[in-house]
Amino acid sequence: MTTRAIPVVVLAGFLGAGKTTLLNHVLRYADGRRIGVLVNDFGSINIDLLLVSGQSGGTVDLANGCMCCTTDAGDFAETLETMAAPGTGLDAILIEASGIAEPKALVKMVLAARSASIAYGGLVYVVDAANFDRTVAEHPQLTDHLAIADLVVCNKVEMVDAAEVDRLADRIRECNPSAPLLPVSHAAVDPDLFFEPAERIATDDGPRQLTFDELLREDTEPEHEHLHGGFDSAALDTASPVDPRRLARFLERPPEGAYRIKGTVFVDLPEHRDIAYTVQSVGGFVRVDAGSWRGRTPATSLVVIGAGLDAVAAREALDRVVQPGDRDDTNGILSLTRHLITGS
């Protein structure tokens, strides 16, 4: 049975760009997910709005099931390991980088924690559309941070005109030509872009009690229309097996605009037909887990999620992954299994 890995997303960005707003937005719209947050201090979280159900030392439990912990670079690895333990029941972890470590160092720490319980979820970098040029002029090193981002959120676009947004997009792509770019207002990014949707509590359409998240949204934002920054996706569901070499190449070099790729694939090769390979890719960082098809029919299901994604081109790339490969290419499977996670 495949161990479910918890995605760990690193959140960084310009001072005043909207990281705190984005963090609180994700917690407010957790929508049934249990999200763990690592911060340097609780000043980054609107505790009063989200309501506290319990507190112990550097840990605060929120009424919607989420958890917030304080840490610094010295305790980071230990705190992350504790949060990722199966007993916490968390679905995802979000790290607010300010005061803990530089984004590049944090990414290295998460990647160093390569295990069956943790999956790198990407570096999300937030920039301020209204003050981009001034901020970069005062802190030119921030362009180095932008260059390693897996997703760039261009916040406060409501404060500039469309021509300026286009100009900023060009500037950002000069620093990082491959990362998806998501223009948003009020840091309203749909959590589905970062994390898997939580399983629905009820499947019937009859009357039911509102969840805490639904009550919170009704109470705090009665006229809110859920205006998240949009994202794009392309999906493939087929009974056909994948060509492992082509799949590995696709995961390692995702299509332009792709933030993450995920799915389960069927490899029709001796000694691999009974293995359900679960694959994930964020920014070209690939993770593969091996499970079993027991009780299921082998098939391939893949989805690409991103911003500014050419969905048609992405679907064409997905189709190429399941085109028949070279049956004599006995080493092709190694392109995929070299990313395999083993151990606990």
Side-chain angles (χ1 to χ4, degrees):
M1 183 176 179
T2 303
T3 301
R4 185 181 64 85
I6 298 176
V8 179
V9 176
V10 178
L11 176 63
F14 291 7
L15 181 65
K19 298 187 301 296
T20 298
T21 307
L22 193 156
L23 175 64
N24 282 287
H25 183 87
V26 169
L27 287 174
R28 188 181 305 168
Y29 293 95
D31 197 22
R33 303 174 184 88
R34 299 198 69 227
I35 300 173
V37 175
L38 272 175
V39 293
N40 183 250
D41 63 72
F42 290 134
S44 297
I45 304 167
N46 194 335
I47 295 294
D48 292 334
L49 174 63
L50 293 165
L51 304 181
V52 176
S53 65
Q55 182 168 359
S56 176
T59 300
V60 169
D61 294 318
L62 303 178
N64 64 348
C66 296
M67 173 194 298
C68 303
C69 296
T70 57
T71 190
D72 55 30
D75 297 328
F76 175 82
E78 183 178 351
T79 306
L80 183 60
E81 183 178 348
T82 299
M83 294 184 78
T88 64
L90 293 178
D91 300 305
I93 296 173
L94 186 62
I95 303 169
E96 209 280 84
S98 301
I100 299 177
E102 286 288 291
K104 187 174 184 179
L106 269 178
V107 169
K108 287 183 177 179
M109 291 179 191
V110 175
L111 291 172
R114 183 177 173 88
S115 71
S117 60
I118 294 174
Y120 176 62
L123 169 60
V124 177
Y125 205 82
V126 186
V127 301
D128 180 348
N131 296 286
F132 183 90
D133 291 328
R134 179 175 60 81
T135 305
V136 170
E138 293 175 358
H139 307 281
Q141 71 275 15
L142 294 179
T143 59
D144 294 332
H145 297 170
L146 262 178
I148 62 170
D150 298 303
L151 172 69
V152 179
V153 175
C154 189
N155 191 31
K156 305 184 184 179
V157 295
E158 78 282 359
M159 299 177 66
V160 299
D161 60 30
E164 179 64 5
V165 172
D166 290 340
R167 188 190 69 82
L168 288 172
D170 291 338
R171 285 286 315 275
I172 291 168
R173 290 192 176 103
E174 289 175 3
C175 301
N176 188 330
S178 61
L181 175 61
L182 183 64
V184 298
S185 299
H186 311 294
V189 179
D190 192 334
D192 285 356
L193 179 58
F194 305 140
F195 316 123
E196 292 301 290
E199 292 183 0
R200 297 300 176 189
I201 297 173
T203 56
D204 65 279
D205 296 324
R208 62 179 176 82
Q209 184 177 0
L210 292 176
T211 67
F212 178 85
D213 295 318
E214 292 167 333
L215 288 168
L216 183 62
R217 286 200 291 270
E218 288 198 349
D219 185 48
T220 59
E221 298 186 49
E223 299 180 1
H224 182 74
E225 296 183 4
H226 222 57
L227 298 179
H228 293 302
F231 61 90
D232 312 298
S233 65
L236 172 69
D237 289 286
T238 176
S240 300
V242 298
D243 175 75
R245 192 180 292 277
R246 285 201 186 104
L247 174 61
R249 189 182 304 120
F250 177 73
L251 295 172
E252 292 163 0
R253 295 190 284 278
E256 183 176 347
Y259 172 55
R260 61 188 180 102
I261 304 169
K262 63 187 180 70
T264 304
V265 300
F266 171 40
V267 176
D268 187 16
L269 291 174
E271 301 181 9
H272 296 275
R273 294 188 180 100
D274 294 332
I275 301 174
Y277 286 107
T278 300
V279 299
Q280 301 178 61
S281 172
V282 176
F285 290 98
V286 180
R287 175 193 175 98
V288 177
D289 294 275
S292 171
W293 289 116
R294 188 175 297 112
R296 296 181 290 165
T297 301
T300 294
S301 178
L302 290 166
V303 61
V304 183
I305 299 169
L309 181 73
D310 184 333
V312 174
R315 176 53 199 255
E316 291 174 350
L318 284 168
D319 288 338
R320 287 192 291 273
V321 166
V322 293
Q323 289 179 355
D326 183 356
R327 304 291 295 183
D328 296 325
D329 183 12
T330 56
N331 293 323
I333 187 64
L334 300 178
S335 302
L336 188 65
T337 56
R338 70 189 183 91
H339 298 291
L340 192 63
I341 298 295
T342 58
S344 58

